[in-house]
Amino acid sequence: MTNKKPVLVSGIQPTGRLHIGNYLGALKQFVELQNSGKYQCYFFVADLHALTENPSPKDLSQNIINLVIDFFAVGLDPKKSVIFQQSQIQSLQELKWVLGTLVPPGELLRMTAFKEKVLQALKPEEREKLTKEEFDKIVVSTNYGLVEYPILMAADILIFGGQFVPIGHDQLQHLELARTIARKFNNRFGKIFVEPRPLLAPTSRVMSLDDPTKKMSKSLPNGCLFLDDKPEDIRAKFRKAVTDSGSEIKFDEVNKPAISNLLMIYSEFSGLTIAQIEAKFKNKNYSQFKEALAELVISYFEPFNKKKKLFQKKIVQVKKQLTAGSNKAHIVAYKKIQEVKKLIGLIPHLNN
Ligand code: AMP
């Protein structure tokens, strides 16, 4: 890796099994970006971010190792990318504190993702009726990690000099805040941070298999297709997947949102264009299309599942590789936080 390549940073939270939304919206692109050889890549297990969901210690530690195994099994390679665990980088916590002093809390409380998170337990009709006072009451009783989340995210990116951040649409507002924070810091103390730019995956939103109006999400497991689902589960899930009225296999997001979602998934896993798939299934019905899609996805993830099983047998080696990645990331982050501390006056100049 040469230092001249632009730095790319992204993380995924260890909050449970990965689904095809995570894969198509993030991991597939991570692997392509890594293998393009154009970037210095930093990919991390966002375990500090995951703490905001208050997981049990047992689940969290298991999910951390499972996610690293998934990273390796999809093709992220510690020889090509720095793959690390966020909580092992102490300098991040220091930078988060420094950056937090530049952000008014009002800006954090206005973040769409924050509002979504604190209101997620409410039904849509309850949300509509919510008064400002009731909203404020919910906000002040929420966990503080959810408020600080975007500042930690800014620190994650800025500490490594991240120029590019592959993210989903849902994170764009947070990235904009990271840019604002970088600019504020640079204007006040001297240019030290790069203003990061987003890299949006071509597939922005994979919708739920049981409700095409909702995003596929771990919080709605019934509509998820997980990367390590068994072939019989994949077949059953596609068989049960919601379809639209009519019988034609045609892309039409307004009138046929369910079939359009399945067509997009087929296109991603086959490399065929939507028009080619429509032509291929011209005289076929929904269930024939869904059967073919299930077989396509099963064979696509066969190598992934084989590798995953191999890595599961080599946990000690996986942990060692994660530690080695965290050590590399720590060196870069430590150097940056020292520069920051000097700039802001935390390291007194002896000759002054
Ligand atoms: P999460 O576990 O929700 O933090 O998601 C990890 C990554 O997967 C983020 O980059 C998300 O934008 C992406 N992602 C999650 N769900 C979907 C989805 N249904 N469609 C596309 N991308 C998604």
Side-chain angles (χ1 to χ4, degrees):
M1 279 191 281
T2 81
N3 284 332
K4 291 204 186 80
K5 290 181 190 174
V7 173
L8 181 149
V9 185
S10 203
I12 295 203
Q13 292 187 52
T15 43
R17 296 163 73 199
L18 294 175
H19 54 70
I20 59 167
N22 300 131
Y23 181 73
L24 296 176
L27 280 166
K28 185 169 179 248
Q29 199 197 13
F30 288 5
V31 176
E32 286 163 4
L33 291 164
Q34 165 195 270
N35 293 343
S36 74
K38 288 192 207 151
Y39 307 95
Q40 250 181 283
C41 297
Y42 290 82
F43 296 117
F44 64 96
V45 175
D47 53 355
L48 295 176
H49 285 294
L51 270 183
T52 60
E53 311 249 324
N54 302 127
S56 78
K58 188 166 163 270
D59 283 351
L60 182 59
S61 62
Q62 191 60 57
N63 285 338
I64 290 170
I65 205 71
N66 285 345
L67 183 58
V68 187
I69 289 175
D70 285 343
F71 275 4
F72 292 169
V74 292
L76 291 184
D77 180 351
K79 290 197 198 83
K80 298 180 185 165
S81 302
V82 181
I83 297 167
F84 67 97
Q85 188 180 350
Q86 184 188 31
S87 61
Q88 295 304 305
I89 317 300
Q90 282 87 2
S91 312
L92 264 180
Q93 314 266 9
E94 292 182 71
L95 184 60
K96 185 197 70 177
W97 181 261
V98 173
L99 301 182
T101 63
L102 301 173
V103 185
E107 255 178 68
L108 302 173
L109 300 177
R110 271 198 297 275
M111 292 279 130
T112 313
F114 171 73
K115 287 189 195 158
E116 281 295 315
K117 264 267 142 64
V118 295
L119 299 180
Q120 70 185 357
L122 300 186
K123 296 196 185 94
E125 57 272 24
E126 289 173 328
R127 282 191 199 197
E128 268 170 35
K129 278 193 261 154
L130 205 69
T131 63
K132 166 101 178 56
E133 288 69 33
E134 284 166 335
F135 175 71
D136 289 347
K137 225 169 156 184
I138 297 176
V139 165
V140 292
S141 60
T142 198
N143 86 61
Y144 184 61
L146 287 177
V147 182
E148 270 197 313
Y149 188 109
I151 303 184
L152 179 58
M153 179 169 154
D156 295 333
I157 302 163
L158 301 183
I159 207 157
F160 298 108
Q163 208 165 325
F164 294 105
V165 186
I167 43 166
H169 276 100
D170 48 345
Q171 294 290 329
L172 279 177
Q173 197 183 27
H174 288 167
L175 194 74
E176 201 45 54
L177 182 71
R179 289 170 62 83
T180 308
I181 295 175
R183 213 174 306 132
K184 261 193 194 173
F185 187 99
N186 289 346
N187 287 342
R188 176 147 178 221
F189 300 106
K191 194 168 179 335
I192 186 171
F193 292 128
V194 180
E195 283 184 38
R197 293 209 306 250
L199 282 178
L200 284 173
T203 320
S204 48
R205 276 161 81 84
V206 178
M207 307 312 279
S208 170
L209 294 185
D210 65 355
D211 182 352
T213 63
K214 297 206 176 94
K215 214 175 99 169
M216 187 175 284
S217 161
K218 284 171 208 168
S219 53
L220 304 165
N222 287 341
C224 284
L225 195 75
F226 297 104
L227 306 198
D228 59 359
D229 267 338
K230 294 196 178 70
E232 58 269 31
D233 294 332
I234 296 180
R235 289 189 189 104
K237 283 184 182 182
F238 277 121
R239 216 176 296 127
K240 273 197 288 180
V242 169
T243 44
D244 313 288
S245 54
S247 59
E248 208 188 348
I249 317 291
K250 183 130 196 68
F251 192 87
D252 176 347
E253 278 183 305
V254 178
N255 299 308
K256 283 177 172 266
I259 285 296
S260 301
N261 185 41
L262 298 183
L263 272 166
M264 190 273 294
I265 296 172
Y266 196 108
S267 170
E268 284 291 332
F269 289 118
S270 65
L272 298 177
T273 63
I274 299 284
Q276 285 169 326
I277 305 163
E278 285 172 345
K280 188 175 159 83
F281 291 94
K282 197 167 183 344
N283 297 313
K284 301 278 195 293
N285 58 33
Y286 285 163
S287 66
Q288 288 167 314
F289 171 59
K290 293 200 300 186
E291 270 169 35
L293 178 54
E295 296 314 313
L296 175 69
V297 173
I298 291 167
S299 61
Y300 187 95
F301 284 110
E302 221 168 48
F304 164 81
N305 278 303
K306 273 194 191 138
K307 280 196 211 154
K308 183 165 171 152
K309 284 201 183 89
L310 284 179
F311 285 119
Q312 279 167 334
K313 287 188 196 137
K314 297 191 210 164
I315 296 280
V316 176
Q317 203 179 316
V318 167
K319 283 187 182 163
K320 267 191 194 157
Q321 281 179 314
L322 183 65
T323 306
S326 300
N327 289 342
K328 278 191 208 164
H330 162 75
I331 292 169
V332 178
Y334 183 77
K335 195 165 163 256
K336 193 72 160 192
I337 196 68
Q338 295 309 311
E339 288 172 28
V340 168
K341 283 177 163 177
K342 262 189 210 145
L343 266 183
I344 64 177
L346 284 177
I347 300 179
H349 297 273
L350 292 176
N351 51 357
N352 271 355

